[in-house]
Amino acid sequence: MIIVMKPNAAPQSIQAVVSYIEGNGLSVHLSRGEEVTIIGIVGDKSRLSAENLTVYKDVDRIMPVTESYKLANKKFHPEPTSVKVGCTVIGPDNLTVMAGPCAVETEDQLMTIARAVKESGATILRGGAYKPRTSPYSFQGLEEEGLRYMQEAARETGLATICEVVSTEAIEAAVKYVDMIQIGARNMQNFILLKEAGRSGLPVLLKRGLCATVEEWLNAAEYIMSEGNESVVLCERGIRTFETATRNTLDISAVPVMKERTHLPIIVDPSHSTGSYKYVPSMAKAAVACGADGLMIEVHNDPAHAMSDGPQSLTFAKFDKLTRELQPFCDIVGRAFRR
Ligand code: PEP
Ligand code: MN
């Protein structure tokens, strides 16, 4: 349920409503817009008589929120959220480009890639130190050593960093070295892990599960937010369909759909969704054109010898060409992007 206060409601009126709700054992989520304040109620509504709230001064109207996700719901928080990651911000005003190797392989490899992607306009370095591979015999990642290389690369280049976490131990290690953690597609409904990510204190990138609906994905975000962490960014990375021409099917419509349902930023990963470097540029441009707040792109110094996801990784030259070509798309949608 949300309570919409009248435009320019007095602070005392807002406080009176908040106290009434909290006095009934429920919690409150306040969203202060330029003129209108919205009070979201979280908890068991049967504890409260909504009609009584209409007698409070400056209450304009009371609306039910029928969706099971509340904190992630745009009705609770109509203004778009911006999420701070290191010294960069993911939000409606700019295009954030995250780029880097699928897996951190060596310190030299990561440093070389970090310098190159920064040169081409990326502000966040991605790199997997824990790799949840389809086969247990594939390279599983350098773990904490990989995180240390991420921190080194950040020191050297000034880029913010993101790394996927797959367990409680990985979260505990990641908070020491990186600026943002990623919950991968395979863990989107690992609810224990989502809650731990919510308690980590770091911003979280939540990838869409391979077979997850928009509703399930938003409920996964709600798990993180319900632990007090509002810094959640969604990432569309393709879903599993009958089509085999691409690795997954990029659900580009998820971008405008999410813009309608949630205030959280949404970025697109054209690498894992297509599985081929050939399709990455066109999907990246489509994502920007339809309103994505950012992109996550795999880039490798030598894709032919990459330890994972070489076929979808862009070379430095291809990545540089792409970011140049993104500029006019950013101009059209009114987002800042500086190369
Ligand atoms: C990744 O980003 O390295 C990754 C494994 O992606 P996804 O979880 O989307 O498959
Ligand atoms: Mn990958």
mmCIF file of all heavy atoms in Angstrom, residues 60-111:
data_model
loop_
_atom_site.group_PDB
_atom_site.id
_atom_site.type_symbol
_atom_site.label_atom_id
_atom_site.label_comp_id
_atom_site.label_asym_id
_atom_site.label_seq_id
_atom_site.Cartn_x
_atom_site.Cartn_y
_atom_site.Cartn_z
ATOM 1 N N ASP A 60 -3.396 12.688 0.411
ATOM 2 C CA ASP A 60 -4.152 12.886 -0.818
ATOM 3 C C ASP A 60 -4.936 11.621 -1.160
ATOM 4 O O ASP A 60 -6.155 11.634 -1.270
ATOM 5 C CB ASP A 60 -3.172 13.247 -1.956
ATOM 6 C CG ASP A 60 -3.887 13.625 -3.241
ATOM 7 O OD1 ASP A 60 -5.121 13.751 -3.199
ATOM 8 O OD2 ASP A 60 -3.215 13.792 -4.273
ATOM 9 N N ARG A 61 -4.225 10.468 -1.282
ATOM 10 C CA ARG A 61 -4.940 9.227 -1.580
ATOM 11 C C ARG A 61 -4.124 8.016 -1.135
ATOM 12 O O ARG A 61 -2.899 8.110 -0.933
ATOM 13 C CB ARG A 61 -5.308 9.125 -3.062
ATOM 14 C CG ARG A 61 -4.162 9.247 -3.991
ATOM 15 C CD ARG A 61 -4.663 9.373 -5.436
ATOM 16 N NE ARG A 61 -3.564 9.133 -6.354
ATOM 17 C CZ ARG A 61 -2.641 10.032 -6.662
ATOM 18 N NH1 ARG A 61 -2.679 11.247 -6.143
ATOM 19 N NH2 ARG A 61 -1.657 9.731 -7.491
ATOM 20 N N ILE A 62 -4.833 6.911 -1.030
ATOM 21 C CA ILE A 62 -4.201 5.657 -0.605
ATOM 22 C C ILE A 62 -4.396 4.638 -1.722
ATOM 23 O O ILE A 62 -5.510 4.479 -2.222
ATOM 24 C CB ILE A 62 -4.849 5.160 0.701
ATOM 25 C CG1 ILE A 62 -4.586 6.213 1.783
ATOM 26 C CG2 ILE A 62 -4.317 3.799 1.126
ATOM 27 C CD1 ILE A 62 -5.383 6.033 3.024
ATOM 28 N N MET A 63 -3.293 4.019 -2.138
ATOM 29 C CA MET A 63 -3.391 3.077 -3.261
ATOM 30 C C MET A 63 -2.814 1.726 -2.871
ATOM 31 O O MET A 63 -1.736 1.660 -2.264
ATOM 32 C CB MET A 63 -2.588 3.613 -4.466
ATOM 33 C CG MET A 63 -3.234 4.818 -5.125
ATOM 34 S SD MET A 63 -2.075 5.719 -6.172
ATOM 35 C CE MET A 63 -1.280 4.448 -7.097
ATOM 36 N N PRO A 64 -3.492 0.654 -3.244
ATOM 37 C CA PRO A 64 -2.912 -0.670 -2.965
ATOM 38 C C PRO A 64 -1.747 -0.954 -3.920
ATOM 39 O O PRO A 64 -1.731 -0.450 -5.041
ATOM 40 C CB PRO A 64 -4.078 -1.626 -3.253
ATOM 41 C CG PRO A 64 -4.946 -0.889 -4.211
ATOM 42 C CD PRO A 64 -4.761 0.587 -3.959
ATOM 43 N N VAL A 65 -0.774 -1.703 -3.464
ATOM 44 C CA VAL A 65 0.299 -2.174 -4.356
ATOM 45 C C VAL A 65 0.117 -3.678 -4.427
ATOM 46 O O VAL A 65 0.373 -4.402 -3.467
ATOM 47 C CB VAL A 65 1.694 -1.807 -3.800
ATOM 48 C CG1 VAL A 65 2.791 -2.406 -4.672
ATOM 49 C CG2 VAL A 65 1.852 -0.293 -3.732
ATOM 50 N N THR A 66 -0.378 -4.134 -5.560
ATOM 51 C CA THR A 66 -0.744 -5.546 -5.652
ATOM 52 C C THR A 66 0.462 -6.445 -5.944
ATOM 53 O O THR A 66 0.448 -7.627 -5.642
ATOM 54 C CB THR A 66 -1.823 -5.740 -6.734
ATOM 55 O OG1 THR A 66 -1.430 -4.977 -7.875
ATOM 56 C CG2 THR A 66 -3.176 -5.254 -6.268
ATOM 57 N N GLU A 67 1.537 -5.865 -6.534
ATOM 58 C CA GLU A 67 2.706 -6.688 -6.861
ATOM 59 C C GLU A 67 3.394 -7.155 -5.573
ATOM 60 O O GLU A 67 3.364 -6.454 -4.565
ATOM 61 C CB GLU A 67 3.722 -5.885 -7.693
ATOM 62 C CG GLU A 67 3.210 -5.463 -9.060
ATOM 63 C CD GLU A 67 2.419 -4.162 -9.035
ATOM 64 O OE1 GLU A 67 2.270 -3.555 -7.946
ATOM 65 O OE2 GLU A 67 1.937 -3.751 -10.096
ATOM 66 N N SER A 68 4.031 -8.331 -5.641
ATOM 67 C CA SER A 68 4.685 -8.861 -4.435
ATOM 68 C C SER A 68 5.995 -8.133 -4.118
ATOM 69 O O SER A 68 6.474 -8.187 -2.999
ATOM 70 C CB SER A 68 4.936 -10.359 -4.592
ATOM 71 O OG SER A 68 5.582 -10.584 -5.820
ATOM 72 N N TYR A 69 6.575 -7.462 -5.099
ATOM 73 C CA TYR A 69 7.786 -6.666 -4.808
ATOM 74 C C TYR A 69 7.354 -5.242 -4.469
ATOM 75 O O TYR A 69 6.481 -4.677 -5.115
ATOM 76 C CB TYR A 69 8.754 -6.689 -5.999
ATOM 77 C CG TYR A 69 8.121 -6.308 -7.314
ATOM 78 C CD1 TYR A 69 8.164 -4.996 -7.774
ATOM 79 C CD2 TYR A 69 7.440 -7.246 -8.095
ATOM 80 C CE1 TYR A 69 7.564 -4.629 -8.975
ATOM 81 C CE2 TYR A 69 6.839 -6.887 -9.281
ATOM 82 C CZ TYR A 69 6.897 -5.580 -9.718
ATOM 83 O OH TYR A 69 6.287 -5.219 -10.888
ATOM 84 N N LYS A 70 7.904 -4.715 -3.418
ATOM 85 C CA LYS A 70 7.492 -3.381 -2.946
ATOM 86 C C LYS A 70 8.628 -2.361 -3.097
ATOM 87 O O LYS A 70 8.473 -1.343 -3.745
ATOM 88 C CB LYS A 70 7.084 -3.441 -1.458
ATOM 89 C CG LYS A 70 6.130 -4.572 -1.110
ATOM 90 C CD LYS A 70 4.749 -4.342 -1.639
ATOM 91 C CE LYS A 70 3.846 -5.541 -1.330
ATOM 92 N NZ LYS A 70 2.601 -5.557 -2.064
ATOM 93 N N LEU A 71 9.761 -2.651 -2.434
ATOM 94 C CA LEU A 71 10.871 -1.688 -2.420
ATOM 95 C C LEU A 71 11.410 -1.441 -3.832
ATOM 96 O O LEU A 71 11.887 -0.359 -4.135
ATOM 97 C CB LEU A 71 12.001 -2.199 -1.518
ATOM 98 C CG LEU A 71 11.602 -2.426 -0.065
ATOM 99 C CD1 LEU A 71 12.702 -3.154 0.689
ATOM 100 C CD2 LEU A 71 11.290 -1.089 0.607
ATOM 101 N N ALA A 72 11.318 -2.471 -4.680
ATOM 102 C CA ALA A 72 11.800 -2.332 -6.059
ATOM 103 C C ALA A 72 10.734 -1.705 -6.954
ATOM 104 O O ALA A 72 11.002 -1.377 -8.111
ATOM 105 C CB ALA A 72 12.192 -3.703 -6.610
ATOM 106 N N ASN A 73 9.531 -1.534 -6.427
ATOM 107 C CA ASN A 73 8.383 -1.106 -7.233
ATOM 108 C C ASN A 73 8.421 0.394 -7.525
ATOM 109 O O ASN A 73 8.668 1.204 -6.632
ATOM 110 C CB ASN A 73 7.110 -1.442 -6.451
ATOM 111 C CG ASN A 73 5.899 -1.538 -7.348
ATOM 112 O OD1 ASN A 73 5.669 -0.669 -8.184
ATOM 113 N ND2 ASN A 73 5.124 -2.591 -7.176
ATOM 114 N N LYS A 74 8.125 0.745 -8.751
ATOM 115 C CA LYS A 74 8.123 2.165 -9.128
ATOM 116 C C LYS A 74 7.018 2.944 -8.420
ATOM 117 O O LYS A 74 7.138 4.147 -8.193
ATOM 118 C CB LYS A 74 7.966 2.281 -10.644
ATOM 119 C CG LYS A 74 8.411 3.617 -11.169
ATOM 120 C CD LYS A 74 8.524 3.604 -12.652
ATOM 121 C CE LYS A 74 8.911 4.993 -13.137
ATOM 122 N NZ LYS A 74 9.074 5.029 -14.577
ATOM 123 N N LYS A 75 5.958 2.238 -8.037
ATOM 124 C CA LYS A 75 4.877 2.922 -7.319
ATOM 125 C C LYS A 75 5.375 3.442 -5.965
ATOM 126 O O LYS A 75 4.917 4.466 -5.478
ATOM 127 C CB LYS A 75 3.711 1.960 -7.073
ATOM 128 C CG LYS A 75 2.947 1.612 -8.325
ATOM 129 C CD LYS A 75 1.831 0.639 -8.001
ATOM 130 C CE LYS A 75 1.188 0.119 -9.277
ATOM 131 N NZ LYS A 75 0.538 -1.184 -9.076
ATOM 132 N N PHE A 76 6.304 2.700 -5.362
ATOM 133 C CA PHE A 76 6.877 3.108 -4.076
ATOM 134 C C PHE A 76 7.839 4.269 -4.231
ATOM 135 O O PHE A 76 8.085 5.013 -3.294
ATOM 136 C CB PHE A 76 7.663 1.929 -3.479
ATOM 137 C CG PHE A 76 6.961 1.204 -2.387
ATOM 138 C CD1 PHE A 76 5.695 0.681 -2.587
ATOM 139 C CD2 PHE A 76 7.564 1.001 -1.158
ATOM 140 C CE1 PHE A 76 5.047 -0.020 -1.590
ATOM 141 C CE2 PHE A 76 6.921 0.311 -0.148
ATOM 142 C CZ PHE A 76 5.656 -0.201 -0.369
ATOM 143 N N HIS A 77 8.441 4.384 -5.398
ATOM 144 C CA HIS A 77 9.583 5.266 -5.592
ATOM 145 C C HIS A 77 9.572 5.717 -7.053
ATOM 146 O O HIS A 77 10.298 5.175 -7.884
ATOM 147 C CB HIS A 77 10.840 4.423 -5.271
ATOM 148 C CG HIS A 77 12.109 5.188 -5.179
ATOM 149 N ND1 HIS A 77 12.594 5.955 -6.205
ATOM 150 C CD2 HIS A 77 13.018 5.281 -4.187
ATOM 151 C CE1 HIS A 77 13.743 6.486 -5.838
ATOM 152 N NE2 HIS A 77 14.020 6.090 -4.614
ATOM 153 N N PRO A 78 8.748 6.695 -7.399
ATOM 154 C CA PRO A 78 8.580 7.046 -8.817
ATOM 155 C C PRO A 78 9.823 7.602 -9.512
ATOM 156 O O PRO A 78 9.971 7.454 -10.712
ATOM 157 C CB PRO A 78 7.470 8.104 -8.792
ATOM 158 C CG PRO A 78 6.830 7.981 -7.446
ATOM 159 C CD PRO A 78 7.868 7.456 -6.517
ATOM 160 N N GLU A 79 10.717 8.237 -8.744
ATOM 161 C CA GLU A 79 11.920 8.816 -9.379
ATOM 162 C C GLU A 79 12.945 7.714 -9.664
ATOM 163 O O GLU A 79 13.116 6.815 -8.844
ATOM 164 C CB GLU A 79 12.598 9.816 -8.433
ATOM 165 C CG GLU A 79 11.701 10.915 -7.895
ATOM 166 C CD GLU A 79 11.357 11.946 -8.949
ATOM 167 O OE1 GLU A 79 12.195 12.184 -9.835
ATOM 168 O OE2 GLU A 79 10.238 12.484 -8.892
ATOM 169 N N PRO A 80 13.661 7.803 -10.794
ATOM 170 C CA PRO A 80 14.676 6.771 -11.053
ATOM 171 C C PRO A 80 15.808 6.818 -10.030
ATOM 172 O O PRO A 80 16.230 7.892 -9.609
ATOM 173 C CB PRO A 80 15.200 7.109 -12.453
ATOM 174 C CG PRO A 80 14.755 8.484 -12.748
ATOM 175 C CD PRO A 80 13.580 8.800 -11.868
ATOM 176 N N THR A 81 16.281 5.659 -9.634
ATOM 177 C CA THR A 81 17.377 5.569 -8.663
ATOM 178 C C THR A 81 18.721 5.623 -9.386
ATOM 179 O O THR A 81 18.867 5.082 -10.473
ATOM 180 C CB THR A 81 17.234 4.233 -7.891
ATOM 181 O OG1 THR A 81 16.167 4.387 -6.975
ATOM 182 C CG2 THR A 81 18.491 3.852 -7.122
ATOM 183 N N SER A 82 19.671 6.295 -8.773
ATOM 184 C CA SER A 82 21.053 6.279 -9.270
ATOM 185 C C SER A 82 21.889 5.482 -8.279
ATOM 186 O O SER A 82 21.724 5.636 -7.072
ATOM 187 C CB SER A 82 21.612 7.703 -9.359
ATOM 188 O OG SER A 82 20.949 8.405 -10.389
ATOM 189 N N VAL A 83 22.748 4.638 -8.782
ATOM 190 C CA VAL A 83 23.566 3.791 -7.908
ATOM 191 C C VAL A 83 25.041 4.176 -8.064
ATOM 192 O O VAL A 83 25.584 4.158 -9.171
ATOM 193 C CB VAL A 83 23.343 2.298 -8.247
ATOM 194 C CG1 VAL A 83 24.327 1.407 -7.498
ATOM 195 C CG2 VAL A 83 21.906 1.896 -7.927
ATOM 196 N N LYS A 84 25.657 4.508 -6.944
ATOM 197 C CA LYS A 84 27.057 4.927 -6.950
ATOM 198 C C LYS A 84 27.954 3.682 -6.876
ATOM 199 O O LYS A 84 27.748 2.831 -6.019
ATOM 200 C CB LYS A 84 27.295 5.827 -5.732
ATOM 201 C CG LYS A 84 28.573 6.580 -5.788
ATOM 202 C CD LYS A 84 28.614 7.656 -4.712
ATOM 203 C CE LYS A 84 29.920 8.431 -4.778
ATOM 204 N NZ LYS A 84 31.130 7.639 -4.774
ATOM 205 N N VAL A 85 28.905 3.605 -7.780
ATOM 206 C CA VAL A 85 29.852 2.484 -7.783
ATOM 207 C C VAL A 85 31.253 3.083 -7.851
ATOM 208 O O VAL A 85 31.639 3.644 -8.880
ATOM 209 C CB VAL A 85 29.627 1.562 -8.999
ATOM 210 C CG1 VAL A 85 30.596 0.379 -8.952
ATOM 211 C CG2 VAL A 85 28.195 1.074 -9.064
ATOM 212 N N GLY A 86 32.014 2.990 -6.768
ATOM 213 C CA GLY A 86 33.312 3.659 -6.724
ATOM 214 C C GLY A 86 33.085 5.134 -6.987
ATOM 215 O O GLY A 86 32.218 5.761 -6.372
ATOM 216 N N CYS A 87 33.802 5.703 -7.957
ATOM 217 C CA CYS A 87 33.590 7.130 -8.224
ATOM 218 C C CYS A 87 32.717 7.350 -9.458
ATOM 219 O O CYS A 87 32.682 8.435 -10.015
ATOM 220 C CB CYS A 87 34.912 7.871 -8.310
ATOM 221 S SG CYS A 87 36.099 7.022 -9.315
ATOM 222 N N THR A 88 31.976 6.324 -9.872
ATOM 223 C CA THR A 88 31.074 6.518 -11.010
ATOM 224 C C THR A 88 29.625 6.249 -10.559
ATOM 225 O O THR A 88 29.410 5.699 -9.486
ATOM 226 C CB THR A 88 31.523 5.624 -12.195
ATOM 227 O OG1 THR A 88 30.615 5.773 -13.249
ATOM 228 C CG2 THR A 88 31.581 4.171 -11.839
ATOM 229 N N VAL A 89 28.666 6.689 -11.386
ATOM 230 C CA VAL A 89 27.253 6.559 -11.011
ATOM 231 C C VAL A 89 26.477 5.915 -12.152
ATOM 232 O O VAL A 89 26.611 6.320 -13.309
ATOM 233 C CB VAL A 89 26.649 7.952 -10.690
ATOM 234 C CG1 VAL A 89 25.147 7.849 -10.451
ATOM 235 C CG2 VAL A 89 27.326 8.582 -9.481
ATOM 236 N N ILE A 90 25.663 4.913 -11.829
ATOM 237 C CA ILE A 90 24.794 4.284 -12.839
ATOM 238 C C ILE A 90 23.407 4.869 -12.642
ATOM 239 O O ILE A 90 22.822 4.739 -11.560
ATOM 240 C CB ILE A 90 24.754 2.749 -12.669
ATOM 241 C CG1 ILE A 90 26.172 2.168 -12.669
ATOM 242 C CG2 ILE A 90 23.891 2.112 -13.770
ATOM 243 C CD1 ILE A 90 26.238 0.681 -12.343
ATOM 244 N N GLY A 91 22.893 5.522 -13.663
ATOM 245 C CA GLY A 91 21.591 6.164 -13.510
ATOM 246 C C GLY A 91 21.114 6.770 -14.808
ATOM 247 O O GLY A 91 21.671 6.499 -15.880
ATOM 248 N N PRO A 92 20.052 7.593 -14.727
ATOM 249 C CA PRO A 92 19.378 8.059 -15.934
ATOM 250 C C PRO A 92 20.126 9.111 -16.754
ATOM 251 O O PRO A 92 19.780 9.348 -17.900
ATOM 252 C CB PRO A 92 18.072 8.653 -15.393
ATOM 253 C CG PRO A 92 18.391 9.064 -13.992
ATOM 254 C CD PRO A 92 19.409 8.087 -13.496
ATOM 255 N N ASP A 93 21.155 9.731 -16.177
ATOM 256 C CA ASP A 93 21.773 10.862 -16.881
ATOM 257 C C ASP A 93 22.912 10.481 -17.821
ATOM 258 O O ASP A 93 23.302 11.254 -18.678
ATOM 259 C CB ASP A 93 22.305 11.891 -15.864
ATOM 260 C CG ASP A 93 21.170 12.427 -14.996
ATOM 261 O OD1 ASP A 93 20.034 12.498 -15.508
ATOM 262 O OD2 ASP A 93 21.421 12.733 -13.817
ATOM 263 N N ASN A 94 23.463 9.290 -17.583
ATOM 264 C CA ASN A 94 24.636 8.929 -18.392
ATOM 265 C C ASN A 94 24.557 7.472 -18.838
ATOM 266 O O ASN A 94 23.678 6.731 -18.394
ATOM 267 C CB ASN A 94 25.922 9.155 -17.588
ATOM 268 C CG ASN A 94 25.987 8.263 -16.363
ATOM 269 O OD1 ASN A 94 24.980 7.980 -15.730
ATOM 270 N ND2 ASN A 94 27.160 7.785 -16.045
ATOM 271 N N LEU A 95 25.476 7.093 -19.703
ATOM 272 C CA LEU A 95 25.598 5.681 -20.095
ATOM 273 C C LEU A 95 26.848 5.132 -19.412
ATOM 274 O O LEU A 95 27.941 5.661 -19.594
ATOM 275 C CB LEU A 95 25.744 5.539 -21.609
ATOM 276 C CG LEU A 95 25.842 4.070 -22.039
ATOM 277 C CD1 LEU A 95 24.450 3.435 -22.105
ATOM 278 C CD2 LEU A 95 26.554 3.915 -23.370
ATOM 279 N N THR A 96 26.668 4.086 -18.617
ATOM 280 C CA THR A 96 27.811 3.466 -17.936
ATOM 281 C C THR A 96 28.256 2.242 -18.730
ATOM 282 O O THR A 96 27.432 1.365 -19.018
ATOM 283 C CB THR A 96 27.405 3.017 -16.516
ATOM 284 O OG1 THR A 96 26.954 4.170 -15.800
ATOM 285 C CG2 THR A 96 28.579 2.389 -15.784
ATOM 286 N N VAL A 97 29.513 2.205 -19.077
ATOM 287 C CA VAL A 97 30.025 1.034 -19.782
ATOM 288 C C VAL A 97 30.960 0.247 -18.854
ATOM 289 O O VAL A 97 31.947 0.782 -18.349
ATOM 290 C CB VAL A 97 30.752 1.427 -21.094
ATOM 291 C CG1 VAL A 97 31.340 0.197 -21.773
ATOM 292 C CG2 VAL A 97 29.783 2.140 -22.039
ATOM 293 N N MET A 98 30.583 -1.005 -18.605
ATOM 294 C CA MET A 98 31.419 -1.932 -17.836
ATOM 295 C C MET A 98 32.055 -2.851 -18.870
ATOM 296 O O MET A 98 31.345 -3.381 -19.731
ATOM 297 C CB MET A 98 30.576 -2.821 -16.920
ATOM 298 C CG MET A 98 29.634 -2.086 -16.025
ATOM 299 S SD MET A 98 28.768 -3.300 -14.977
ATOM 300 C CE MET A 98 27.738 -2.157 -14.050
ATOM 301 N N ALA A 99 33.344 -3.054 -18.776
ATOM 302 C CA ALA A 99 33.995 -3.921 -19.755
ATOM 303 C C ALA A 99 35.189 -4.607 -19.126
ATOM 304 O O ALA A 99 35.754 -4.124 -18.143
ATOM 305 C CB ALA A 99 34.428 -3.097 -20.975
ATOM 306 N N GLY A 100 35.560 -5.752 -19.726
ATOM 307 C CA GLY A 100 36.707 -6.499 -19.214
ATOM 308 C C GLY A 100 36.580 -7.949 -19.601
ATOM 309 O O GLY A 100 35.637 -8.343 -20.292
ATOM 310 N N PRO A 101 37.520 -8.759 -19.140
ATOM 311 C CA PRO A 101 37.513 -10.166 -19.543
ATOM 312 C C PRO A 101 36.419 -10.956 -18.831
ATOM 313 O O PRO A 101 35.981 -10.566 -17.748
ATOM 314 C CB PRO A 101 38.896 -10.652 -19.091
ATOM 315 C CG PRO A 101 39.218 -9.793 -17.905
ATOM 316 C CD PRO A 101 38.622 -8.447 -18.205
ATOM 317 N N CYS A 102 36.032 -12.062 -19.442
ATOM 318 C CA CYS A 102 35.099 -12.965 -18.764
ATOM 319 C C CYS A 102 35.750 -13.382 -17.448
ATOM 320 O O CYS A 102 35.192 -13.201 -16.378
ATOM 321 C CB CYS A 102 34.829 -14.183 -19.654
ATOM 322 S SG CYS A 102 33.709 -15.358 -18.881
ATOM 323 N N ALA A 103 36.979 -13.909 -17.551
ATOM 324 C CA ALA A 103 37.699 -14.365 -16.355
ATOM 325 C C ALA A 103 39.014 -13.614 -16.202
ATOM 326 O O ALA A 103 39.688 -13.323 -17.195
ATOM 327 C CB ALA A 103 37.984 -15.855 -16.470
ATOM 328 N N VAL A 104 39.359 -13.303 -14.952
ATOM 329 C CA VAL A 104 40.695 -12.776 -14.675
ATOM 330 C C VAL A 104 41.654 -13.947 -14.845
ATOM 331 O O VAL A 104 41.472 -14.990 -14.211
ATOM 332 C CB VAL A 104 40.774 -12.227 -13.229
ATOM 333 C CG1 VAL A 104 42.173 -11.710 -12.940
ATOM 334 C CG2 VAL A 104 39.722 -11.151 -12.987
ATOM 335 N N GLU A 105 42.643 -13.789 -15.730
ATOM 336 C CA GLU A 105 43.558 -14.908 -16.012
ATOM 337 C C GLU A 105 44.929 -14.682 -15.373
ATOM 338 O O GLU A 105 45.426 -15.532 -14.654
ATOM 339 C CB GLU A 105 43.672 -15.101 -17.524
ATOM 340 C CG GLU A 105 42.331 -15.499 -18.157
ATOM 341 C CD GLU A 105 42.327 -15.463 -19.677
ATOM 342 O OE1 GLU A 105 43.398 -15.305 -20.283
ATOM 343 O OE2 GLU A 105 41.231 -15.576 -20.270
ATOM 344 N N THR A 106 45.534 -13.528 -15.661
ATOM 345 C CA THR A 106 46.826 -13.190 -15.030
ATOM 346 C C THR A 106 46.800 -11.703 -14.704
ATOM 347 O O THR A 106 45.960 -10.944 -15.227
ATOM 348 C CB THR A 106 48.025 -13.432 -15.986
ATOM 349 O OG1 THR A 106 47.908 -12.498 -17.070
ATOM 350 C CG2 THR A 106 48.064 -14.847 -16.516
ATOM 351 N N GLU A 107 47.754 -11.265 -13.880
ATOM 352 C CA GLU A 107 47.802 -9.857 -13.509
ATOM 353 C C GLU A 107 48.077 -8.998 -14.746
ATOM 354 O O GLU A 107 47.433 -7.967 -14.960
ATOM 355 C CB GLU A 107 48.883 -9.634 -12.446
ATOM 356 C CG GLU A 107 48.822 -8.240 -11.862
ATOM 357 C CD GLU A 107 49.686 -8.071 -10.622
ATOM 358 O OE1 GLU A 107 50.476 -8.978 -10.310
ATOM 359 O OE2 GLU A 107 49.555 -7.015 -9.982
ATOM 360 N N ASP A 108 49.004 -9.451 -15.578
ATOM 361 C CA ASP A 108 49.354 -8.701 -16.792
ATOM 362 C C ASP A 108 48.173 -8.576 -17.736
ATOM 363 O O ASP A 108 47.901 -7.505 -18.279
ATOM 364 C CB ASP A 108 50.457 -9.456 -17.565
ATOM 365 C CG ASP A 108 51.815 -9.002 -17.112
ATOM 366 O OD1 ASP A 108 51.877 -8.144 -16.207
ATOM 367 O OD2 ASP A 108 52.806 -9.534 -17.667
ATOM 368 N N GLN A 109 47.481 -9.712 -17.918
ATOM 369 C CA GLN A 109 46.318 -9.711 -18.821
ATOM 370 C C GLN A 109 45.297 -8.690 -18.349
ATOM 371 O O GLN A 109 44.798 -7.868 -19.120
ATOM 372 C CB GLN A 109 45.677 -11.113 -18.833
ATOM 373 C CG GLN A 109 44.331 -11.198 -19.533
ATOM 374 C CD GLN A 109 43.177 -11.622 -18.602
ATOM 375 O OE1 GLN A 109 43.281 -11.505 -17.376
ATOM 376 N NE2 GLN A 109 42.100 -12.086 -19.182
ATOM 377 N N LEU A 110 45.006 -8.704 -17.045
ATOM 378 C CA LEU A 110 43.965 -7.813 -16.535
ATOM 379 C C LEU A 110 44.389 -6.350 -16.661
ATOM 380 O O LEU A 110 43.589 -5.487 -17.062
ATOM 381 C CB LEU A 110 43.650 -8.160 -15.075
ATOM 382 C CG LEU A 110 42.438 -7.410 -14.535
ATOM 383 C CD1 LEU A 110 41.151 -7.863 -15.223
ATOM 384 C CD2 LEU A 110 42.299 -7.600 -13.026
ATOM 385 N N MET A 111 45.642 -6.071 -16.353
ATOM 386 C CA MET A 111 46.125 -4.690 -16.419
ATOM 387 C C MET A 111 46.067 -4.156 -17.852
ATOM 388 O O MET A 111 45.647 -3.031 -18.098
ATOM 389 C CB MET A 111 47.567 -4.653 -15.879
ATOM 390 C CG MET A 111 47.985 -3.312 -15.386
ATOM 391 S SD MET A 111 47.005 -2.768 -13.962
ATOM 392 C CE MET A 111 47.987 -3.394 -12.611
#
